[in-house]
């Protein structure tokens, strides 16, 4: 569920050469054209209408408009809405009141695909940075840090950690960017240039951009080896990993830890981030089928022909329709989909466990949580954003009962003011717990949601495939590397690029000239306005 990332340059020969069969598509397509024959319509099914599936439909439509490709796209979504893990709930279910993100909440300026979508689709951003400078770090027994930006607070932080931190946002903890975070961001920006080739696997991508060392060790190991203070890592960086990915610094990978810190300029779409994904589909040529659960993907192969795929399920509208390609844009093992193919190997999908997160959103007449609950004297002593560290637990203390508690909007209803709070936890928080935390009789409305929110970003070097079978493509393989809305859109771009090259011999954009291809590891200038895929 959440947000941010990195990559660099690598040559087409290095990454695609091992399985580049695009010459088949080019040859067939060119032969049919030269003979005056109309190539058959290529039919694509997309399963999932979240960030990955909706943007995959859009990427196909961009290629259609550029090349006049004969493509038909059907998108199937099991739920009644578009957006996947990005959705909004309203207090008292009244859409006149301020909506709150239940899932993927924020993105940042380096998320160029999302920023471009906001611009292209005339959406409005809400800047979240003005709500910083009022947080506390809870270890299950006490606040080990409180910070509101005063000179005294800065002096305490300097005394505790040895340097002055920057501001802390409601969803992320920021520190001054170190060289490795800056490098990661620079590599990410290069991924939006036409010089970046398609990649055949997440492992190949990670290796080519030099980020494998981030992924093989925990964030605790990675950052302490870089010389970062262990106290800063186990308290402040862990606060970021626990609020962003509900994972401790001792478990999450170094890359997951770095992504958790890359939150400068955090914002969200006014009215809900899901609108970006609705617009992707509105501006595509895809036929969208909501409330359609897919349970089976079946491959059939006629002699000498490209295989076809049939999709089926209890709600499927197109049980008799066959497809040349299927893009699966949902976690395979959570989808309940069975793949029936003699060439599909389930063992090619390394196990990726997901965090089961409880999100509790409530309204209360209290402006802050109950001070007695946190062992402080007054409401004024309770921070607006309460982040957590497991360091006390590792030292034998009581574990925090939540990942974070954040206060958001204030609204009026029935003549009284109520404040909206959001709680992330790994277990359900009961009504009794809420009364103890906010004060009995103060709570007006409660909404609970359980998500398999994001993968457990454990150290790894094996990832699910991008091409799972001939004609079967997988968007969510990148989630085990970096899990954000942006990287799902980026992964969808890569999948569609590979699919189109295989089917037509051309991708979303024309290939860069050979003399424009940089050497492996060599940076290129990044045009701040142009984004590969959107601009060619």
């Amino acid at each position: 569920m959440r947000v941010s990332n990195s990559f660099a340059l690598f040559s087409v020969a290095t990454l695609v050469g091992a399985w580049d069969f695009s010459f088949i598509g080019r040859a067939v397509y060119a032969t049919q054209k030269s003979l005056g024959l109309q190539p058959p319509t290529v039919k694509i099914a997309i399963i999932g209408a979240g960030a990955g599936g909706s943007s995959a439909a859009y990427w196909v439509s961009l290629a259609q408009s550029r090349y006049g490709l004969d493509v038909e796209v059907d998108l199937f979504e099991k739920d009644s809405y578009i957006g996947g893990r990005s959705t909004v709930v309203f207090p008292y279910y009244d859409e006149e009141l301020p909506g709150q993100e239940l899932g993927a909440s924020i993105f940042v300026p380096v998320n160029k695909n999302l920023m471009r979508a906001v611009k292209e689709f005339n959406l409005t951003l809400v800047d979240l940075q003005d709500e910083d400078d009022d947080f506390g770090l809870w270890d299950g027994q006490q606040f080990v840090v409180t910070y509101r930006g005063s000179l005294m607070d800065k002096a305490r932080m300097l005394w505790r950690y040895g340097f002055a931190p920057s501001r802390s946002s409601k969803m992320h903890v920021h520190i001054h960017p170190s060289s490795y975070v800056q490098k990661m961001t620079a590599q990410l920006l290069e991924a939006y240039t036409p010089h970046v080739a398609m990649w055949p696997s997440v492992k190949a991508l990670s290796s080519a951009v030099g980020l494998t060392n981030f992924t093989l060790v925990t964030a605790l190991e990675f950052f302490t080896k870089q010389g970062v203070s262990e106290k800063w890592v186990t308290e402040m960086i862990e606060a970021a990993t626990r609020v962003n990915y509900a994972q401790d610094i001792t478990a999450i990978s170094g890359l997951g830890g770095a992504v958790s810190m890359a939150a400068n300029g955090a914002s969200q779409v006014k009215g809900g981030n899901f609108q970006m994904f609705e617009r992707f589909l509105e501006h595509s040529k895809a036929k969208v089928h909501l409330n359609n659960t897919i349970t089976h993907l079946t491959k059939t192969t006629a002699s000498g022909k490209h295989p076809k795929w049939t999709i089926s399920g209890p709600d499927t509208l197109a049980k008799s329709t066959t497809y040349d390609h299927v893009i699966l844009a949902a976690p395979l093992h959570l989808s309940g989909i069975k793949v029936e193919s003699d060439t599909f190997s389930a063992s090619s999908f390394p196990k990726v466990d997901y965090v089961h997160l409880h999100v509790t959103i409530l309204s209360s007449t209290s402006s802050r949580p109950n001070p007695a609950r946190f062992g402080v004297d007054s409401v004024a002593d309770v921070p607006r954003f309460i982040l957590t560290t497991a360091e006390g637990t590792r030292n034998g203390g009581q574990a925090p009962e939540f990942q974070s508690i954040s206060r958001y909007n204030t609204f009026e209803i029935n003549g009284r003011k109520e404040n909206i709070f959001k709680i992330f936890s790994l277990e359900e928080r009961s009504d009794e717990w809420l009364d103890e935390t906010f004060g009995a009789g103060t709570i007006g409305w409660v909404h609970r949601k359980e998500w398999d929110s994001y993968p457990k970003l454990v150290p790894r070097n094996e990832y699910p495939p991008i091409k799972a079978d001939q004609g079967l493509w997988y968007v969510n393989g990148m989630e085990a590397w970096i899990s954000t809305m942006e990287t799902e859109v980026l992964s969808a771009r890569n999948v569609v690029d590979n699919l189109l090259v295989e089917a037509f011999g051309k991708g979303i954009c024309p290939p860069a000239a050979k003399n424009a291809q940089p050497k492996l590891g060599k940076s290129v200038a990044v045009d701040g306005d142009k984004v590969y895929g959107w601009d060619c």
Side-chain angles (χ1 to χ4, degrees), residues 388-439:
T388 58
T389 172
E391 184 65 0
T393 312
R394 290 187 287 268
N395 292 324
Q398 179 179 328
E401 296 178 310
F402 54 89
Q403 310 303 109
S404 63
I405 299 177
S406 304
R407 194 192 86 190
Y408 291 88
N409 308 79
T410 299
F411 64 93
E412 288 194 16
I413 186 169
N414 298 327
R416 68 179 184 275
K417 286 187 177 181
E418 296 190 9
N419 301 284
I420 298 175
F421 293 87
K422 183 190 291 186
I423 304 168
F424 292 153
S425 60
L426 297 179
E427 296 179 357
E428 181 178 316
R429 298 297 89 188
S430 66
D431 290 344
E432 292 75 18
W433 189 93
L434 296 178
D435 282 341
E436 180 185 351
T437 301
F438 294 94

Side-chain angles (χ1 to χ4, degrees), residues 180-198:
Y180 46 85
V181 174
Q182 291 173 331
K183 177 184 178 182
M184 186 184 71
T185 302
Q187 290 172 325
L188 167 63
L189 294 178
E190 289 172 348
Y192 300 89
T193 73
H195 302 281
V196 176
M198 299 174 294

Side-chain angles (χ1 to χ4, degrees), residues 120-430:
E120 292 286 333
F121 303 146
N122 296 315
L123 299 172
T124 301
L125 283 180
V126 176
D127 183 6
L128 304 179
Q129 296 303 106
D130 60 351
E131 298 182 349
D132 291 348
D133 289 347
D134 188 355
F135 82 93
L137 186 60
W138 177 254
D139 71 354
Q141 296 176 289
Q142 63 180 334
F143 285 115
V144 296
V145 169
T146 56
Y147 184 82
R148 286 176 172 147
S150 70
L151 290 176
M152 182 62 72
D153 287 340
K154 292 176 181 178
R156 291 194 189 101
M157 296 290 270
L158 181 62
W159 177 263
R160 186 174 186 85
Y161 299 113
F163 59 92
S166 62
R167 307 163 75 197
S168 166
S169 81
K170 62 185 177 184
M171 294 305 296
H172 295 259
V173 175
H174 303 176
I175 64 172
H176 292 304
S178 59
S179 60
Y180 46 85
V181 174
Q182 291 173 331
K183 177 184 178 182
M184 186 184 71
T185 302
Q187 290 172 325
L188 167 63
L189 294 178
E190 289 172 348
Y192 300 89
T193 73
H195 302 281
V196 176
M198 299 174 294
W199 50 89
S201 70
V202 177
K203 182 177 180 178
L205 171 63
S206 184
S207 175
V209 302
L211 290 179
T212 300
N213 62 322
F214 280 73
T215 67
L216 296 180
V217 297
T218 67
L220 175 61
E221 294 175 87
F222 180 82
F223 287 111
T224 54
K225 285 181 179 178
Q226 306 303 314
V228 180
S229 160
E230 184 169 339
K231 184 178 286 292
W232 178 258
V233 175
T234 58
E235 292 184 353
M236 301 306 290
I237 297 181
E238 183 165 70
T241 65
R242 284 174 62 88
V243 69
N244 288 317
Y245 290 116
Q247 295 167 60
D248 292 346
I249 204 77
T250 54
I252 197 169
S253 72
L255 187 56
V259 169
S260 296
M261 297 191 300
N264 290 310
S267 58
Q268 60 187 208
V269 175
K270 183 178 180 180
N273 293 328
F274 70 91
Q275 295 170 93
M276 293 183 288
F277 311 126
E278 287 187 337
R279 299 298 191 279
F280 275 137
L281 287 173
E282 289 172 6
H283 288 77
S284 78
K285 299 176 177 64
K287 296 179 182 177
V288 179
H289 308 283
L290 301 179
N291 297 305
N292 264 258
T293 298
I294 305 301
T295 57
H296 289 77
L297 303 177
T298 305
K299 187 176 77 169
T300 58
T301 306
S303 178
K305 293 184 178 181
H306 188 282
K308 300 285 186 179
W309 289 87
T310 301
I311 65 175
S312 60
D315 313 307
T316 306
L317 298 174
K319 292 181 180 179
S320 61
T321 302
T322 59
Y323 296 91
D324 301 286
H325 296 271
V326 175
I327 297 174
L328 179 56
L332 177 62
H333 79 285
L334 297 178
S335 68
I337 293 174
K338 182 178 181 181
V339 179
E340 298 175 339
S341 165
D342 57 2
T343 55
F344 172 79
S345 173
S347 63
S348 67
F349 280 75
K351 183 175 176 57
V352 178
D353 293 319
Y354 276 63
V355 173
H356 192 75
L357 188 72
H358 292 258
V359 181
T360 306
I361 298 182
L362 60 93
S363 67
S364 172
T365 54
S366 296
S367 60
R368 307 281 171 120
N370 181 6
R373 174 69 172 75
F374 293 95
V376 294
D377 295 331
S378 68
V379 169
D381 295 324
V382 182
R384 179 172 182 173
F385 305 112
I386 303 175
L387 307 178
T388 58
T389 172
E391 184 65 0
T393 312
R394 290 187 287 268
N395 292 324
Q398 179 179 328
E401 296 178 310
F402 54 89
Q403 310 303 109
S404 63
I405 299 177
S406 304
R407 194 192 86 190
Y408 291 88
N409 308 79
T410 299
F411 64 93
E412 288 194 16
I413 186 169
N414 298 327
R416 68 179 184 275
K417 286 187 177 181
E418 296 190 9
N419 301 284
I420 298 175
F421 293 87
K422 183 190 291 186
I423 304 168
F424 292 153
S425 60
L426 297 179
E427 296 179 357
E428 181 178 316
R429 298 297 89 188
S430 66

